[in-house]
Each structure stands twice: as structure tokens, then as C-alpha cells.
Amino acid sequence: MTTVLTYGTFDLFHIGHLNLINRLAELGDRLVIGVSTDEFNAGKGKTSVVSYEDRARIIASIKGVDLVIPETSWDQKVSDIKEHDVDVFAIGDDWRGKFDDLKELCEVVYLPRTDGISSTEIKQMLRVLDPQHITEMQEALAVMSRLLEHYRDLT
Ligand code: CTP
């Protein structure tokens, strides 16, 4: 029985997350995922669109995921590896080298990320729908429109 462990926020669940989970599931027989809590993310200055409870339910319902645990601190990895009898710690290669110290306890694998998608990019794209952003765009258009009228009157 090979147990695999990873951690992540998994906000606005997307194809990069699914690809990663599929690759993680192929590394062993049992997959444990630590989902970052809202409080842990707040400490990192990160805010999720989707609450911890909903992100944890989504991840738990993905084929190949056996157990979801809360990620509440940077320091829990060693005790989680021991408690869940972990053989492989794996995570996307944006973290390459960051968790090499865990090699004393288990195998450490950095998996390739899916290109061109991230929760941050989705949030930036959704920003165009933000009422404040729409108001700013309307104000900018009004200024441009007045300028164009001014130049038309001059010619
Ligand atoms: N991941 C991936 N491919 C992507 C995006 C994420 O393989 N395109 C992986 C990350 O490397 C990590 C896991 O998915 O192992 C969870 O990452 P997370 O930070 O929650 O997702 P991101 O979309 O990268 O979110 P953010 O933009 O907030 O960092």
C-alpha cells in the first residue's frame, strides 16, 4: 500500500487541479489531500472565493481522493506524514526544491503544472465583472467621450 500526500488551496477548482490530482493518484494506492483552511490562507494574505468547507467537499468528491484533511500550518507536514503512514509527498513543480527536507521521511516528487491556468488568473479575469471596476471603466469612457467632443468642436 503506497500512500501519497499533497497540500493546496484548490480555489475555483480548474483543469490544472484535476490534472494534478490524476497524476497524484497514479503515484500510489491511497491519496490524502490537505486543503488549506481560510484561516491559514488569511495568514498568507490569500483570500479564497470558495470557502474551506466547500473546497474540501469538492476535493473529497474527486475520483482517486481517499481522505481530505485541513491544512492549518506550514509545520504539520512531518506529523501528517507519520500519522497517515505517507510514502510519497508530491506537489506541483512551482514548489520545486521547497520541500526537499521531507526526503528524510518519504519520497518527494514535484509534478509538472498545467500551463496557462491558475486560480489567480481566473480571479483576475472575473475582476472585469466587479461593480467597482465597471464604474471605473464607465468613468474613463465618459472622460474619453468628452475629450473627443472637445477635439471635434475644435476642427
Ligand atoms: N497546479 C497545477 N497546475 C496548475 C495550477 C495548480 O498543477 N495550472 C497545482 C499546484 O502546483 C499545486 C496544486 O495544483 O500543487 C494546488 O495549487 P493551488 O495553489 O491551489 O492552485 P493555483 O491555481 O496555482 O492557485 P493560485 O493561483 O492561488 O496559486
Side-chain angles (χ1 to χ4, degrees):
M1 167 77 84
T2 302
T3 299
V4 181
L5 172 68
T6 196
Y7 297 91
T9 298
F10 301 99
D11 193 20
L12 298 171
F13 192 85
H14 58 68
I15 193 68
H17 296 147
L18 185 62
N19 288 337
L20 180 90
I21 290 173
N22 288 342
R23 287 173 187 141
L24 290 165
E26 282 170 10
L27 293 179
D29 312 298
R30 188 166 162 270
L31 177 56
V32 180
I33 301 195
V35 175
S36 310
T37 62
D38 297 329
E39 294 73 21
F40 180 48
N41 279 337
K44 293 188 269 179
K46 263 178 99 170
T47 313
S48 293
V49 174
V50 182
S51 69
Y52 167 75
E53 284 73 21
D54 289 352
R55 287 181 287 112
R57 278 182 60 200
I58 291 166
I59 297 302
S61 71
I62 305 289
K63 199 170 128 206
V65 177
D66 296 287
L67 177 66
V68 169
I69 57 172
E71 186 192 28
T72 58
S73 85
W74 291 108
D75 305 330
Q76 72 187 72
K77 293 183 182 66
V78 170
S79 57
D80 285 346
I81 288 168
K82 290 177 183 162
E83 183 182 337
H84 298 285
D85 224 351
V86 170
D87 303 284
V88 183
F89 171 84
I91 196 159
D93 60 9
D94 43 323
W95 293 98
R96 184 168 295 284
K98 297 278 190 325
F99 300 110
D100 285 354
D101 52 337
L102 298 176
K103 283 180 184 168
E104 285 173 16
L105 297 165
C106 62
E107 192 185 335
V108 175
V109 176
Y110 299 101
L111 292 165
R113 269 173 78 91
T114 302
D115 284 338
I117 190 156
S118 73
S119 305
T120 304
E121 279 173 43
I122 295 171
K123 281 181 221 173
Q124 277 165 356
M125 283 190 275
L126 289 174
R127 228 194 115 235
V128 295
L129 302 174
D130 179 62
Q132 174 68 28
H133 183 73
I134 291 169
T135 305
E136 282 166 15
M137 292 301 287
Q138 282 171 331
E139 284 167 4
L141 280 171
V143 170
M144 282 177 69
S145 163
R146 283 199 296 277
L147 275 173
L148 285 170
E149 270 175 35
H150 176 70
Y151 285 117
R152 194 190 55 199
D153 291 347
L154 288 178
T155 55

